Amino acid sequence: MIAVADLAVHYRDKCAFAGVNLSVARGTITALVGPSGCGKSSLLSCLNRLVDMVPGARASGRVDVDGCDVLDPRLDLVAHRRRVGMIFQKPNPFPLSIRENIAFPLREHGVRDVGERVESALRAVGLWTEVNDRLDRPALGLSGGQQQRLCIARALALEPSVVLLDEPCSALDPIASGVVEDHVASLRGRYTVVIVTHNLAQARRIADHTAVFWVRGGTGYLAEHGATEQVFGSPRTDVAAAYVSGSRG
Amino acid sequence: MGDGSSLEAPSRGKARVGSASWLDALLVLCAVVSGGMTLLVAGFVARESTRVLWVVGLSRWFTDPSWHPASGLFNALPMVVGTLLTSMLALVLAVPAGVLSAAWARWVAPAWARGPYRALVALLAGIPSVVYGLWGLTVLVPAIARVQAPGSSLLAGALVLALMVVPTIALFAESALASVPAPLLQGAAALGLGPWATLRGVALPAARPGLVAAVTLGAGRAVGETMALLMVAGNVVELPGSVFDPVRTLAANIALEMAYATADHRSALFATGSGLLVIVALLVLVADRAQRARA
């Protein structure tokens, strides 16, 4: 499970978001929604410490993932990022073959049964039957939707407990988007999923919990968090009510 | 060589700056001059080569008993081998060094060290080759001679050449690595890959077109280098038996013999020059192909 307490991220002088408290139960899907620039992606990047890669970025507060203090500077990043997989907005397969995209990270993490894991990861995202006759062809030759599913397979092959998705469908056409969404929904139960999305209908379809972020004075904050049907059906805050009804944002 | 692309450049760009047709004319003129120069030089070298090529043909350059062009013997094979061996050995040393130093500057070096590093590499690239030669002659050659005489050797040539080629490769490799998309690096980090794995498995494959270009440009420099090799490689026209044996490169040979060469001998030197030109042209072609593959 994930527990976020009083989390804030600053980029040099600018505060991206502050005062966020959020908990995510194991095996559930939580959607982070809200307008651009309210800190959703920044929050996601705290969970796997990718925030470290942004020059001048600083996270404060507390983040626990499976009982592990994520913001501790002594955290073993390699082991942590293996437990917490991430899928990005734009598919980012490596310029390697389809097989190597999955096999290479596995070998780097010292996994032995690479061949089996490649196959089962590709099966898990429905790619196996589409690509098993061209595993050694470049991954960049795949369609956008296939590339994104390959990226999901690449992350799942490392057997993470948490999967973070940063608008995984927004760069895809509607049909590919639907296929990827179905695979994200199928992660429920086996993985703890946090997904950033601008697509409210998508959040409503797949998320158990929804967190609505908003902006106040240039700083993002968590406006409302609850079960998806409650947030969409009977929102407690005006901001969330206006946002989910489409009248604002 | 560069002529094709220079001539095409204005029409390919299709940029029309208002009604400044004189600017167009000036640009076309510059392009024609720079492209034309290359063609003229290549044409002149080819024409001067023909005299001996009519007489000797192609195979005798590799089958004659020795290189005595004044007496009608034209075996250039030892010099071709000398040129290729010094260049390849230099590249074997310079490519990893150049690429790794570029990767260091790009991702590992502390921010304050990057500026001075780049200045240093640019400076290294700008040092005249005769200065490298002088250093090689006074420091490197005696040091190698202590291991095995005479010191002036294939090894000395390759080491000096490597030193000269490293900055070229490092500069181009750094810009190639800079073009690796950030999402790929984030993706690698998110999978828990360390810096070394990211470099090997992600950054180098992604930067490959630019790296190939960097290596071919370095190779072009190595093949054509004259002065430094002339000073340290020993200049004996014989196939080397080991890295401690002296060699003569094609470029050094031209510089050594041009002063007194006449008639067929002079033409033979131009023919070897044509050979160098062809090698460099092929390298430029490979570099160009690699750059295009990037798009």
Side-chain angles (χ1 to χ4, degrees), chain B residues 120-140 156 159-168 221 225 227-229 231-232:
Chain B
L120 211 63
V121 172
L123 183 71
L124 219 55
I127 294 178
S129 64
V130 67
V131 176
Y132 281 102
L134 199 58
W135 173 82
L137 196 60
T138 54
V139 179
L140 198 59
L159 287 175
V160 169
L161 213 47
L163 209 60
M164 299 177 62
V165 172
V166 159
T168 309
R221 181 156 192 216
E225 175 50 37
M227 199 58 207
L229 281 170
M231 292 167 80
V232 304

Side-chain angles (χ1 to χ4, degrees), chain B residues 160-188:
Chain B
V160 169
L161 213 47
L163 209 60
M164 299 177 62
V165 172
V166 159
T168 309
I169 293 179
L171 288 174
F172 281 93
E174 207 196 330
S175 76
L177 292 178
S179 71
V180 175
L184 282 187
L185 302 175
Q186 289 167 353

Side-chain angles (χ1 to χ4, degrees), chain A residues 48 50 53 78 81 84-86 88 92-96 104-105 108-109 154-155 158, chain B residues 182-194 197-198 200-202 205-207:
Chain A
N48 65 351
L50 220 57
M53 288 180 81
V78 169
R81 286 174 177 163
V84 181
M86 184 164 188
F88 296 81
N92 57 353
F94 300 140
L96 305 170
F104 166 66
E108 288 301 317
H109 283 285
R154 185 172 72 182
L158 290 170
Chain B
L184 282 187
L185 302 175
Q186 289 167 353
L191 287 164
L193 298 178
T198 305
R200 256 186 322 114
V202 182

